[in-house]
Each structure stands twice: as structure tokens, then as C-alpha cells.
């Protein structure tokens, strides 16, 4: 399962949204020390931008918990897709 397919809706976003996502992703990485992780399946770029904005000022500890939860969701989706093959 490719991450590109899972996050395919991002390619439909307008340039302003993509630019803001890129800038905030860089700030998030600088602030927290790891990339912004979200289970993007079914979410538009605007939804992901909203989630990023809502989480960017969290503490590193809060974001470690959030990232672990999101990674868990991603892993479960991937396992479910594998089992359906």
C-alpha cells in the first residue's frame, strides 16, 4: 500500500493550501523533532491543514501521543487492506 495512494486527495488541493501545508509541516518538524503524522485516508487537504493547525502548538509530549495514535490507525488500515487481498 503506497502512502501516495493513501494521501492522494492532497494532489487535488489548490496552490495556496499546498504552500501553507508545506510551511506548517516544516514548522511542525522544527518544533517537535518529527514529521506531522495524520491518518489521511478520506481527508481532504483542507481537513489535514485544519488538523495540522489544531495540533501545531501542542507540546512535544502531546504530539508523540497523537502521532502514535495516528500511526496506529494507519497500520490498522494497511493490515485490513492486506487481509482483503
Amino acid at each position: 500500500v503506497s502512502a501516495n495512494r493513501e494521501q492522494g486527495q492532497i494532489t487535488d488541493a489548490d496552490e495556496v493550501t499546498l504552500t501553507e501545508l508545506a510551511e506548517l509541516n516544516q514548522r511542525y518538524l522544527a518544533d517537535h523533532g518529527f514529521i506531522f503524522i495524520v491518518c489521511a485516508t478520506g481527508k481532504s487537504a483542507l481537513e489535514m491543514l485544519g488538523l495540522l493547525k489544531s495540533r501545531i502548538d501542542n507540546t512535544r509530549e502531546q504530539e508523540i501521543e497523537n502521532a502514535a495514535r495516528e500511526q496506529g490507525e494507519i497500520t490498522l488500515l494497511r493490515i485490513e487492506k492486506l487481509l482483503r487481498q
Side-chain angles (χ1 to χ4, degrees):
V1 178
S2 81
N4 289 341
R5 267 193 310 175
E6 291 173 346
Q7 300 178 10
Q9 292 185 31
I10 194 107
T11 60
D12 296 333
D14 62 70
E15 195 63 35
V16 172
T17 301
L18 291 174
T19 299
E20 192 170 6
L21 272 169
E23 290 171 357
L24 288 178
N25 268 302
Q26 287 301 311
R27 181 179 150 211
Y28 184 96
L29 176 60
D31 290 353
H32 297 292
F34 53 91
I35 62 169
F36 178 70
I37 298 174
V38 66
C39 183
T41 301
K43 293 179 180 69
S44 70
L46 283 175
E47 287 175 289
M48 288 187 283
L49 180 59
L51 289 168
L52 177 53
K53 285 180 176 180
S54 74
R55 289 175 43 191
I56 199 161
D57 291 324
N58 286 345
T59 66
R60 186 170 196 277
E61 291 75 21
Q62 288 171 310
E63 282 309 294
I64 288 172
E65 289 180 23
N66 286 330
R69 184 176 48 256
E70 295 290 331
Q71 187 62 58
E73 288 181 36
I74 293 165
T75 301
L76 283 176
L77 284 172
R78 289 178 178 175
I79 290 169
E80 289 170 3
K81 286 178 185 178
L82 285 172
L83 293 175
R84 282 183 272 169
Q85 292 181 352

